[in-house]
Amino acid sequence: MNIAVSAAGASLASPVFEEFSKTPFLLIVNVETMECTSIPHDKSGQGSQIALAEMILQHRCEALITGKLEEDVFKILADDHVTRFFGSGLSAEEALMAMERRKLKLIRNPEGTDECNENHHELEELQVCSGHQH
């Protein structure tokens, strides 16, 4: 299983970056082997955060550990069933361990609050979010 982490540096010792759109690196981590692929992020390009979100999908990541998410990126990831976790303040490695222990806060909407954004997907099947179905 692959997990994406927005990070300040190219290694698992790097802190989780506080804002996805400005992250210097995207780490793709195979949690079975802890093999880490580091992808530098060119923040100067138009739509670079969308390209990063698409890279997460291409690597078949089941989750993203990050800080703040922009609404367009949130929608891309939520629509493709990528779980979003808030890991700012931890190293990538610490955040991955906390995720495994279910200690990371879910990012339920682009604002980062605990409110579930019922418009974040338009699926025919029922989804469970924050304890309710919609």
Side-chain angles (χ1 to χ4, degrees):
M1 167 174 67
N2 287 340
I3 304 294
V5 182
S6 65
S11 77
L12 290 175
S14 303
V16 174
F17 205 73
E18 61 273 356
E19 194 171 341
F20 181 80
S21 64
K22 297 178 182 174
T23 190
F25 290 92
L26 183 66
L27 306 180
I28 306 295
V29 183
N30 178 314
V31 292
E32 282 92 30
T33 65
M34 291 308 283
E35 180 181 330
C36 177
T37 302
S38 172
I39 303 166
H41 176 215
D42 178 13
K43 300 173 287 288
S44 64
Q46 201 68 330
S48 67
Q49 65 200 21
I50 301 297
L52 262 175
E54 290 170 353
M55 199 164 300
I56 291 169
L57 301 181
Q58 288 169 3
H59 282 88
R60 302 178 145 213
C61 295
E62 293 187 20
L64 166 66
I65 300 172
T66 190
K68 182 181 183 307
L69 282 173
E70 299 292 327
E71 189 167 350
D72 49 356
V73 171
F74 178 89
K75 182 170 177 24
I76 289 168
L77 298 176
D79 285 350
D80 216 271
H81 309 283
V82 176
T83 306
R84 292 109 15 232
F85 292 101
F86 185 82
S88 207
L90 301 170
S91 72
E93 185 173 27
E94 290 168 335
L96 286 162
M97 289 188 299
M99 182 196 74
E100 286 289 316
R101 292 188 316 267
R102 301 183 188 275
K103 299 290 185 191
L104 286 184
K105 178 181 169 186
L106 287 171
I107 299 174
R108 298 186 188 281
N109 60 49
E111 292 78 37
T113 67
D114 282 337
E115 297 295 316
C116 181
N117 181 349
E118 294 186 24
N119 298 321
H120 68 267
H121 50 72
E122 295 183 24
L123 302 173
E124 294 185 25
E125 60 198 72
L126 291 176
Q127 296 292 317
V128 177
C129 183
S130 187
H132 67 275
Q133 293 184 355
H134 54 90

